[in-house]
Amino acid sequence: MSDQETMIKMKDVNKWYGDFHVLKDVNLDIKKGEKVVICGPSGSGKSTTIRCLNHLEKFQEGSININGTELIEDVKVVRHIRSQVGMVFQHFNLFPHLSVLENLLIAPTWVHNKPRKEAIETAMYYLERVKIAEQAHKYPNQLSGGQQQRVAIARCLCINPEIMLFDEPTSALDPEMVSEVLDVMVELADEGITMICVTHEMGFAKKVADRVIFMDAGQVIEENEPNEFFDNPQSDRLKTFLEQILSH
Amino acid sequence: MATYTMKEAKPAPTANKGIIFWLKENLFPDVKSSLFTLFGLYVIYSIVPPLLDWMIFNATWSGTQDEVVNSGARWIFIIEKFDQFMYGFYPESLHWRPNLVAIISIVFVFSFKYIKNLKVKIAGILLFPVVCFVLISGGWFGLEVVETEKWGGLMLTILVAAVGIIASFPIGVVLALGRQSNMPILRTLCIGFIEFVRGVPLITILFMASVLLPLFFHDGIEFNKLLRALIGITLFQAAYIAEVVRGGLQAIPKGQYEASEALGLSYWQGMILIILPQALKISIPNLVGSFISLFKDTTLVLIIGLFDILAMVTLTNSDTNWLGYEVEGYVFVTMIYWVCCFSMSQYSKSIERKFNTEH
Ligand SMILES: Nc1ncnc2c1ncn2[C@@H]1O[C@H](COP(=O)(O)OP(=O)(O)OP(=O)(O)O)[C@@H](O)[C@H]1O
Ligand SMILES: [Mg+2]
């Protein structure tokens, strides 16, 4: 297991919001190319965990290492890490004043200093990949939720990231649009990018994940490979949780 | 179980049912509304015809004072003093210079919307004030120098307002950002400045600018009156801009900040490329509102001895040859202010429309 390169290493990470202890000794080792799904009840700290990885949230104790770089509070280091980590949000967070194509050009041209022409080629390539190239000149609010989320994924891919973080990417979508986004994510997973995905889509987890992690009250309670995880949960809390999400 | 067949779409009921129907529907639908309509018509009837009589039909448009026979407005006063209202004491032979500035400004303002290239836009913004200043004050390219004491009238009003608006804008934006900063000292300074300025009337700021500023720069630096007024007005306006922009910034969802950070944009890149364009766009109506108030507030510069258009009217009224023409003077100034402010608000609407169709 240890002969593979480690991509993400979280060691005893602790975080507080004021007096509220959100993350309690979170440890996480993710190898290059691994797909990890995180699930758990609302408020358990899933978002907070993955938002620490690209420094959208600060943590007070412990350490995080991303692809060999220690995450410290230094503008350059944070920028370096963010340039390798793409993040897809629940509410897409596309820039509404820019066209789809311009949304995809921002990071390559301003952060990675790519020539505009090259950036446009890359952008069109990824729009093609998420099957939305014909919408390149529309504005985000002219697209459906599923289309917006696919644009958001393409926007991350344009910086050619090592790691993709997904924070409940399908939970703000109408049911009939969930699968078009999941399909794109499955395709991505097949290409060997390192992926951490907070989701309750069990089908996706079974199909794609190498490992599923269950968090509750700011702790990692249980982790296992997907089939074992769902068919043979160990802890009572996970059993209750699975009953709840599978009961409807 | 029940099944239903699909229905064809029908055209919407037509709205056009003739003028009589429209009148009845909108002006006389019931007794109460009819009374209001009649009352409104009566008010219009009792105000508009006498006003038109005074302003146009019974007005005197030419000739000398002795020839006035009509009971209406004597616009000959305005015609006689027109140059002073427009340019103050700016030498008559050089009036072409402010005129040229006016033409350049109008062309600039209307073509600005259509300039696509960002570099040309920025060059325009930077070059425009320099060209205007050189043209008006002279001193370069063989242009004769005209001291600021001679500047006046509408020219001065517009100049003070324009400088106030243009210079205060970047300062206001920076203050608004400073107010949101997580550096405590910077934040406190910005809040302190904004709240202080907003808590005092413009007139006190103008007095302070004209009395206090020279104290700071006492080493023989000649600080002219106009410059002092401009600094005072700019700082005053900056505080209001800051508050308007802050409102815009607060309306931007947190997700926008997070997305721009997550993509690796620096603070300033995120602000300039992502946050400010959106925040300023939603602030346009309030920004223009604040510009319009500033335009009207510029009349206060007469307090510290500058002759803007209002001051020129007051001054020309004390001309012993032309006593008793206050009404014409003030009506004229009122119209000028209204035209300027109304144009500003229309221009802002056209910008808003442009933005709205873009998205
Ligand atoms: N900025 C904040 N200030 C204070 N408390 C916060 C803040 N952000 C999150 N929390 C709290 O931290 C806890 C963990 O939040 P987090 O968003 O990580 O949960 P989550 O597991 O992603 O839940 P969900 O499924 O609802 O997204 C929650 O109890 C939440 O109320
Ligand atoms: Mg969450």
Side-chain angles (χ1 to χ4, degrees), chain B residues 86-87 90-109 127-138 140-141 143 155 158-159:
Chain B
M86 292 297 121
Y87 310 101
Y90 206 87
E92 204 173 338
S93 58
L94 300 178
H95 281 175
W96 64 270
R97 276 159 48 177
N99 289 345
L100 185 59
V101 167
I103 292 169
I104 294 177
S105 310
I106 291 170
V107 171
F108 183 70
V109 165
L127 213 59
F128 173 70
V130 178
V131 171
C132 295
F133 177 78
V134 168
L135 269 172
I136 291 191
S137 90
W140 279 283
F141 309 112
L143 292 171
M155 183 188 102
I158 291 179
L159 185 121

Side-chain angles (χ1 to χ4, degrees), chain A residues 192-212:
Chain A
I193 198 167
T194 312
M195 240 163 98
I196 305 185
C197 184
V198 175
T199 185
H200 293 154
E201 294 290 338
M202 292 311 149
F204 174 79
K206 281 185 186 163
K207 200 166 177 181
V208 166
D210 299 311
R211 224 182 336 151
V212 184

Side-chain angles (χ1 to χ4, degrees), chain A residues 42-43 45-48 51 90 167-168 198:
Chain A
S42 178
K46 308 176 299 284
S47 300
T48 310
R51 288 157 61 87
Q90 182 174 1
D167 192 356
E168 308 202 31
V198 175

Side-chain angles (χ1 to χ4, degrees), chain B residues 25-101:
Chain B
E25 192 83 328
N26 291 286
L27 298 181
F28 303 100
D30 55 45
V31 178
K32 209 162 67 178
S33 308
S34 305
L35 284 178
F36 270 116
T37 301
L38 290 174
F39 177 71
L41 287 174
Y42 174 74
V43 170
I44 293 172
Y45 169 76
S46 50
I47 291 177
V48 174
L51 199 63
L52 286 180
D53 271 348
W54 185 82
M55 285 183 55
I56 299 170
F57 303 121
N58 277 333
T60 311
W61 297 90
S62 59
T64 61
Q65 293 188 57
D66 313 325
E67 291 164 8
V68 173
V69 286
N70 294 330
S71 57
R74 297 153 298 175
W75 295 128
I76 45 173
F77 170 68
I78 305 296
I79 292 162
E80 167 74 23
K81 300 286 184 192
F82 189 77
D83 278 2
Q84 289 189 36
F85 291 157
M86 292 297 121
Y87 310 101
F89 309 108
Y90 206 87
E92 204 173 338
S93 58
L94 300 178
H95 281 175
W96 64 270
R97 276 159 48 177
N99 289 345
L100 185 59
V101 167

Side-chain angles (χ1 to χ4, degrees), chain B residues 264-276:
Chain B
L265 296 175
S266 70
Y267 173 81
W268 284 109
Q269 286 176 333
M271 279 300 158
I272 293 172
L273 298 168
I274 310 297
I275 307 299
L276 281 176

Side-chain angles (χ1 to χ4, degrees), chain B residues 5 20 22 40 67 75 85 96 115 130 137 168 172 235 238 262-263 275 291 335 345:
Chain B
T5 49
I20 304 286
W22 185 90
E67 291 164 8
W75 295 128
F85 291 157
W96 64 270
I115 302 175
V130 178
S137 90
S168 66
L235 295 181
L263 284 174
I275 307 299
F291 292 158
M335 288 191 302
S345 101

